[in-house]
Amino acid sequence: MTSRQHAPSNLFYQTRQRRPTVGEARGIYIWDADGKRYIDGSSGAMVSNIGHGNEHVLAAMRSQMDKTTFAYRLHFENEPAEKLAQMTAARMPDGLNKVFFVSGGSEAVESAIKLARQYALAVGEESRWKIISRYPSYHGSTLGALALTGMENMSAPFAPMLREMPKVPAPTCYLDHDDLSMEDRGLRYAEMLRAEILAQGPETVLAFIMEPVGGASTGALVAPDSYYKRVQEICREFNILLILDEVMTGAGRTGRFLAAEHFGLQPDIIALSKGFAAGYAPLGAMVAHERLVEPVLAKGGFIHGYTYAGNPLACAAGVAVLEEVDRLSLCQNAEDIGDRLKAELTGLKARYPFIGDVRGKGLLLAFELVSDLDTMAPLPKAMDAHIHLVEEAYSRGLILYSRRTRGGVEGDHFLVCPPLILTEPQIGEIMEILTDSLDAFADKFDLPRGNRMS
């Protein structure tokens, strides 16, 4: 790296570690300012669904810039926001036709829980305020969304400022050691939700929120089909709202526009962001069933908002992104090419016995490292495998996204989520670098290869 990339900065970085300065990006590739190429193997943070530098989106943004880049929503409606709302509603389950635009995923979740509470007040159910979420989980960094997040390393510093919400275990069926089938395990985890509702008092529970396919907290976790059906039944039994956090899974990432479609879920509220505008502008949305919105409007309106909600430039980008998702058949490509990439990742388990699980749907994929294949015990916490393997790959020009699987404090998973425009030859490029990186990682920590670990 050059001295330019080490220059002092007035920006406040998350850590003292600095990265190269980005130069340009096209397709699935990013170049730094010195010309080194990287494969965007995680689409940033699972954002750049349609790839970088898409000319249709850039042209739409340029056209909108010639008109206006900002119009406050209380003063004007704008054509891009209206069009994007219609396009979004057309992709939702029946009845979810009310769209509220935001700038990101945390704002989308925050909006969802505020709407849920205002709905309860509007229909005379003031006692309902608790929102049950899962552990581990991640739903955002604002204080409301953080109260739902099940990762102590993120929420603990702010605990005195949070109204802690109840949690139920995430359906990590792949870690269970029992004689149950996977379908029966799925039902068992769903029944944990029912038990928690009863423990809290059904009259106090407002909603249950979950990611249909796990994101950063659980590494592309997919529950058995039985789990989803039973969760929806339980929510309806107690008249509890079902909120789906599709911030990461939405906009085609799992092979459907919504991950909910895989499981026949009919949620009451959906949170969208990330791939919704694919990194071209800060944009997200809360999409709610009309039966929730109408009582709130009748009681005086939604007491909530953001300065950039419905921003015309961001919405113009969003319209163009959805047009590209359709034109390029990216949902189908995510499913087809995702199956091929998942097969390649699964094949690594034979070569690297410390890979304990490969999971996910479409191009939301992950693999998890373990110290023992029989017990699925994680690698030693002090090894910091989630850091070291990412660095090995990054130095070779492949960007991965890692987190700690077991509540954010131990365990190591790696999300492999390239843009949905991925081609078969590009799978080979990813796998070549990933294999070299795993070899170097294994050598660094003297981990075995080619046979089961004892």
Side-chain angles (χ1 to χ4, degrees):
M1 287 187 287
T2 67
S3 58
R4 173 187 61 229
Q5 294 167 323
H6 283 298
S9 173
N10 292 325
L11 292 174
F12 181 13
Y13 288 89
Q14 185 177 6
T15 68
R16 292 186 182 276
Q17 182 184 19
R18 299 291 298 276
R19 290 295 195 190
T21 300
V22 67
E24 60 178 309
R26 291 287 183 274
I28 73 164
Y29 305 105
I30 302 175
W31 289 263
D32 67 24
D34 291 329
K36 180 179 176 179
R37 194 192 77 170
Y38 303 79
I39 298 174
D40 191 0
S42 62
S43 300
M46 285 58 73
V47 174
S48 302
N49 282 16
I50 69 168
H52 302 277
N54 182 285
E55 285 299 331
H56 176 68
V57 180
L58 296 177
M61 295 177 73
R62 292 186 194 105
S63 176
Q64 182 58 43
M65 280 189 270
D66 287 338
K67 299 172 184 177
T68 182
T69 59
F70 179 77
Y72 189 48
R73 65 190 180 89
L74 297 184
H75 298 159
F76 295 97
E77 295 181 5
N78 70 78
E79 184 178 346
E82 293 296 320
K83 184 174 181 179
L84 182 58
Q86 293 170 4
M87 295 173 71
T88 303
R91 290 163 166 78
M92 296 295 113
D94 289 345
L96 273 83
N97 54 22
K98 300 298 184 181
V99 183
F100 182 84
F101 292 118
V102 299
S103 301
S106 296
E107 290 183 4
V109 171
E110 196 85 9
S111 301
I113 62 179
K114 284 188 174 181
L115 176 65
R117 173 58 179 168
Q118 289 181 58
Y119 166 72
L121 294 174
V123 298
E125 296 186 343
E126 293 87 352
S127 65
R128 292 185 184 268
W129 60 272
K130 298 174 184 175
I131 298 179
I132 299 175
S133 57
R134 306 194 302 197
Y135 181 88
S137 63
Y138 180 74
H139 294 291
S141 58
T142 56
L143 290 179
L146 196 58
L148 308 176
T149 291
M151 296 179 73
E152 286 102 334
N153 61 320
M154 299 198 70
S155 59
F158 312 103
M161 306 166 71
L162 298 175
R163 184 73 176 261
E164 185 66 25
M165 292 291 178
K167 308 288 190 299
V168 294
T172 52
C173 300
Y174 72 102
L175 295 176
D176 293 347
H177 300 282
D178 52 40
D179 296 326
L180 296 177
S181 67
M182 291 300 281
E183 292 303 299
D184 285 341
R185 287 179 184 175
L187 291 173
R188 183 180 65 188
Y189 279 97
E191 290 301 326
M192 293 177 188
L193 171 61
R194 191 175 191 278
E196 187 64 27
I197 292 169
L198 292 172
Q200 294 291 332
E203 73 284 355
T204 71
V205 180
L206 174 60
F208 174 58
I209 186 170
M210 69 174 183
E211 292 177 293
V213 177
S217 63
T218 54
L221 179 69
V222 183
D225 287 349
S226 58
Y227 175 82
Y228 301 96
K229 181 176 184 292
R230 184 63 183 135
V231 161
Q232 184 156 279
E233 291 173 349
I234 291 167
C235 289
R236 289 176 175 170
E237 176 186 356
F238 294 104
N239 198 28
I240 290 167
L241 301 179
L242 176 59
I243 303 173
L244 294 186
D245 181 345
E246 295 247 17
V247 168
M248 190 177 293
T249 56
R253 171 61 56 185
T254 67
R256 301 287 188 275
F257 189 80
L258 297 174
E261 298 174 45
H262 295 289
F263 314 109
L265 291 171
Q266 296 287 324
D268 300 289
I269 306 174
I270 292 174
L272 294 168
S273 191
K274 291 189 180 285
F276 187 54
Y280 288 86
L283 181 67
M286 172 191 67
V287 188
H289 199 288
E290 59 188 358
R291 71 177 177 82
L292 307 184
V293 175
E294 294 304 332
V296 172
L297 296 179
K299 290 289 186 177
F302 189 29
I303 310 170
H304 181 63
Y306 302 103
T307 300
Y308 288 93
N311 175 267
L313 181 58
C315 289
V319 167
V321 166
L322 295 192
E323 289 172 345
E324 288 297 86
V325 169
D326 291 344
R327 184 181 72 83
L328 299 172
S329 300
L330 293 186
C331 293
Q332 188 64 54
N333 194 62
E335 181 176 40
D336 295 342
I337 208 73
D339 286 345
R340 295 186 182 96
L341 178 56
K342 187 177 181 182
E344 292 287 336
L345 294 173
T346 300
L348 294 176
K349 293 174 70 175
R351 180 167 176 171
Y352 305 102
F354 50 88
I355 297 179
D357 192 49
V358 175
R359 52 184 179 265
K361 276 189 177 294
L363 282 170
L364 180 55
L365 301 173
F367 61 94
E368 181 170 344
L369 306 188
V370 298
S371 62
D372 186 283
L373 287 171
D374 293 322
T375 66
M376 294 293 283
L379 290 170
K381 180 179 178 180
M383 184 184 289
D384 284 332
H386 68 294
I387 296 174
H388 289 289
L389 180 55
V390 164
E391 292 304 315
E392 293 290 350
Y394 192 87
S395 69
R396 291 167 172 78
L398 172 63
I399 302 172
L400 302 176
Y401 193 97
S402 71
R403 285 293 184 268
R404 303 205 105 161
T405 302
R406 319 290 171 94
V409 294
E410 64 178 341
D412 306 275
H413 68 251
F414 302 83
L415 285 153
V416 185
C417 308
L420 310 189
I421 59 172
L422 186 72
T423 64
E424 195 150 359
Q426 290 169 340
I427 290 178
E429 295 180 46
I430 290 172
M431 295 306 299
E432 181 178 359
I433 299 176
L434 180 56
T435 301
D436 287 347
S437 303
L438 284 163
D439 284 343
F441 172 76
D443 291 343
K444 179 183 289 187
F445 293 101
D446 195 26
L447 295 173
R449 283 183 262 172
N451 48 46
R452 282 177 68 88
M453 298 175 67
S454 59

